[in-house]
Amino acid sequence: MNSSPDSLDSHVDRLSGKRRPVVRLVVAATALGCILLLVFAAWFIWSSRLTQIRQTEVATSNVARMVGVQVETAMKATTMALANVVERVEHDGLDAAAMRRLQDHLVVLTQTTPELHGIFVYAADGRWLASSLSGTRQGDNSDRAYFKHHRAHRSRDIYVGHPVRSRSTGVWVLPISRRLDNPDGSFAGVALVTLKVNFFERIYDELDVGKTGTVLLALEDGTVIYRRPFDDRMIGTNLAGGAIFQAIKQNRVGSDFLVARIDNIERLYSYRRVDDFAFVIAVGQTKDELLGPWKRFSLLIGVAVLLIAATFAVFARKLIRQFIIRDRLDQKLRAYSYDLRRDNLGLQELAHTDTLTRLANRRRFDEVLAHELARAARGNTPLALILLDVDYFKKFNDHYGHPAGDTCLQQVGRLLAAQVNRNDDLAARYGGEEFAIILPHTDLAGAAAVAERMRAEVQALRMPHDESPFGVVTASLGVAALVAPMDAQDLIARADRQLYQAKHLGRNRVCGDDRAPAAESGGQATQ
């Protein structure tokens, strides 16, 4: 019935080796929250980028469509002017009077159409016949590409030539011409309308495509008519090998990020082909410029997200530190509790242990005997008590001294502790040289046998005792068994009477029950 702190040790070890689950939960929740925040921010930033690009595509597509409409309007006006001039010439003829009337008519047409630079009529040999530019006289224009084209082809369609410098004014113009026929169908000359290139410049410079954006108007073969930002040297340049014209070969209308051949700048281009008049229009906004606001916005979002994530991390770190501190304090408190309980067990053991023999003391004996009596009564089980007294111990003490007496008692105590080996059995120092042994679940015969074995073991120690008739230390033992109803005092009294009987009969013997035993030598128990 001894207590041990082994269970406390294992319990504290399990607690100290177990990590607090809430710490893992905080770490997991913080990591998951930061990851979700970063994923959402990345998705939001990427979606904003796509939205910005789509909005720019819509804007540049609308500008390209507007430019296309303006070009178509100008070309339709030009086509109508050419049709009017051709009809007059072929109807009225080429005599001087008809040419004077035509001259006045051309001036009126030019004044009512602001995009027109001039309207001209040339004879079959390239001579000037009429012009809307008053006071202007031209030489032979038969070397012009448009003149050669109409002379070589019988088609009555209009012909859009490459931009040229006007011989009359020196400005860049776009020649648009149509063939004149004689009544017999032979070549009679050319009707020419020239569009002002700077007319496009005045219109397109007002378009909002950013500081580094561009607007391109070119012929289908890649010849540049106008490009913003305007550069006089770019007019007439062929860009057929550029990225825009390669894209237009695949799609008549579209938008894409392309790198300009002229300045190697990447832009988002919206392009379209004006099929009826073989023009190509492209409107581009620089990638850096259109994504500039998005980059600044994304930077702010990114910084804000990182700050929030860092705040979460700092908060989680502080929270975890608090948990760790609490765990450490808890472990310390548990350790202190363990030490306290261990000390209490130690004190309890000291309070119930005889300091000399290390057996249970009288207090422990009284507690255990009361407990076992109650248990025996409940279970109707046997219970026995042995009282042992060292023979002639006072004479031993007087003869050998108190230290030797203490050693004698210690030897007897170790012997009893060795003999009492069942868990419920208890060996105790009852007082002085007297010892007591509680034997639960043991009847009188069994207890007498145990007592006889103890008597023999004490004698077998062969401790010299010159004041004893036996010459060695011996012991007398009294045995009593529980007879209901009986309390602790009754059982002790019965065992004590048996001990007294053993002493009365000459010591070094075992006596049990209340009947007077027969005198026996050799130390046998009497019943």
Side-chain angles (χ1 to χ4, degrees), residues 347-402:
L347 292 174
Q348 185 178 5
E349 184 178 359
L350 289 175
H352 292 88
T353 303
D354 178 65
T355 57
L356 179 64
T357 62
R358 308 307 300 171
L359 296 177
N361 59 13
R362 176 65 181 271
R363 178 185 297 179
R364 180 62 175 164
F365 168 80
D366 291 339
E367 292 175 355
V368 173
L369 181 59
H371 173 75
E372 293 299 338
L373 279 170
R375 188 168 68 158
R378 287 194 305 270
N380 194 25
T381 57
L383 174 67
L385 175 65
I386 300 174
L387 291 181
L388 181 151
D389 185 83
V390 179
D391 295 332
Y392 305 109
F393 183 73
K394 185 176 184 305
K395 293 181 179 181
F396 183 91
N397 244 356
D398 293 341
H399 183 74
Y400 294 101
H402 289 286

Side-chain angles (χ1 to χ4, degrees), residues 288-308:
D288 291 339
E289 192 171 46
L290 78 90
L291 292 179
W294 170 80
K295 289 180 179 178
R296 291 189 291 272
F297 171 76
S298 300
L299 180 62
L300 291 176
I301 292 294
V303 170
V305 168
L306 291 177
L307 288 176
I308 294 173

Side-chain angles (χ1 to χ4, degrees), residues 85-102 121 129 182-183:
V85 171
V86 170
E87 193 276 333
R88 276 180 174 269
V89 170
E90 291 182 347
H91 182 271
D92 295 344
L94 298 175
D95 58 80
M99 289 298 102
R100 283 195 297 272
R101 289 195 303 273
L102 180 62
V121 178
L129 295 177
N182 291 312

